[in-house]
Each structure stands twice: as structure tokens, then as C-alpha cells.
Amino acid sequence: QVQLVESGGGSVQAGESLRLSCGGSGYSYNRCMAWFRQAPGKAREGLHRIFHGMQSSTKGRFTISRDDANNQMFLEMSSLSPEDSGMYYCAALRVGNNCSPIVANVDYWGQGTQVTVSS
């Protein structure tokens, strides 16, 4: 049974940082992983992805890291603003695709963790 479980969400003030975690089991880890975000009333969007074999990857304010030995993935976010509020999802991308963090490329989703940023 595939499981992806996020944790670490919560309420923070604008300008602060936050680290989310994702634990996975039941699927092959030899694939790209990604983080997505969905704000209220908006479509789910991909934030960034990390290739298998990489330890970390940064895109702007978002840094993804992965620890395949322990089936863990992390998202570190800095300089948060209210526009970053929403549900955050970790995802296992389909094997063999181009590793683009888009919804169509996702094999498995976590249940999400809520992040709320106050001004």
C-alpha cells in the first residue's frame, strides 16, 4: 500500500521560514519527487522537484531535499508571505517522465498539510 504523509505545516508570520516533511512507503523511490501547493480557490501548482540521486535542489525560496535511505523528503521555505498560504502536498512523479512538477505527472499524492502565513 502506497503512503505519503506530510507533516510540519502550521501558522507562521510573514517573513518566517518553515520546513515540511514527507514520509513515503510502498513504492519505488527511484523516481523524481515534488512538492505542490494549492491555495483556496486556485489550481494545484507544482513548486519544485528533485531528481533521484540528488540530495537537495533549490528554486528561489524553496529548497527540496531527500533522504532516500529513510524514505523522507523535505521542503524548506523562506521569507514566507500570506500568498504562500495553502495546502502543501508531496508527490511521487511517474517513472520515466521528464520530471516536470505538474499534476499530470504525479503517480502518488500525500494527503496534504496546511500552511497559513499571517501578515
Side-chain angles (χ1 to χ4, degrees), residues 23-99:
S25 63
Y27 62 94
S28 168
Y29 305 109
N30 185 16
R31 65 173 76 210
C32 293
M33 301 289 292
W35 283 94
F36 289 74
R37 174 177 69 197
Q38 187 164 21
K42 295 188 177 182
R44 195 170 296 188
E45 61 172 337
L47 296 175
H48 194 34
R49 52 79 185 118
I50 184 167
F51 291 90
H52 179 256
M54 295 181 70
Q55 289 188 315
S56 68
S57 180
T58 297
K59 181 180 180 181
R61 299 181 293 112
F62 304 106
T63 296
I64 297 180
S65 57
R66 63 190 292 172
D67 176 3
D68 288 335
N70 293 296
N71 308 333
Q72 294 278 317
M73 181 176 66
F74 307 94
L75 175 67
E76 297 190 53
M77 304 180 287
S78 62
S79 302
L80 288 165
S81 71
E83 289 70 33
D84 292 312
S85 296
M87 286 292 287
Y88 283 70
Y89 300 89
C90 66
L93 301 186
R94 194 159 295 121
V95 175
N97 69 22
N98 59 8
C99 206

